[in-house]
Amino acid sequence: MLTFATIIHVPDFPPREKHSTIFKGFDELNSGEFMQIVNDHDPRPLQYQFMMERPEQFTWEYLEEGPEVWKVSIGKK
């Protein structure tokens, strides 16, 4: 079972702060650590943003895929 350095409940943040909060959380991870995001919709666009802004630096694993809650483990390589 994974241990998460941080868990971010994305719906708790205003829209303009969601992605910046997630990237800040990711950037604070040490190599080999994981964070979890919990969202109310599929965060696929965020995954594409990670692919563009942090290529080869992260892992992405869906832990729960809706329909009401999505949970994703994001690891730092």
Side-chain angles (χ1 to χ4, degrees):
M1 182 166 162
L2 289 175
T3 300
F4 297 104
T6 189
I7 298 174
I8 297 174
H9 294 269
V10 181
D12 292 349
F13 293 90
R16 70 184 182 281
E17 295 178 13
K18 291 178 190 285
H19 284 200
S20 61
T21 299
I22 294 165
F23 276 95
K24 182 178 184 295
F26 176 79
D27 291 340
E28 291 174 353
L29 294 176
N30 293 315
S31 180
E33 288 185 326
F34 296 87
M35 63 185 284
Q36 182 184 95
I37 61 168
V38 180
N39 207 2
D40 57 4
H41 64 275
D42 188 349
R44 182 79 57 196
L46 177 66
Q47 183 181 19
Y48 296 140
Q49 187 176 355
F50 262 91
M51 293 167 81
M52 295 298 294
E53 296 186 17
R54 305 291 189 280
E56 308 299 322
Q57 297 177 35
F58 72 99
T59 62
W60 181 279
E61 180 184 357
Y62 281 95
L63 304 174
E64 188 173 333
E65 296 185 69
E68 295 178 14
V69 175
W70 278 258
K71 292 182 180 179
V72 178
S73 168
I74 303 172
K76 190 169 195 177
K77 291 184 177 181

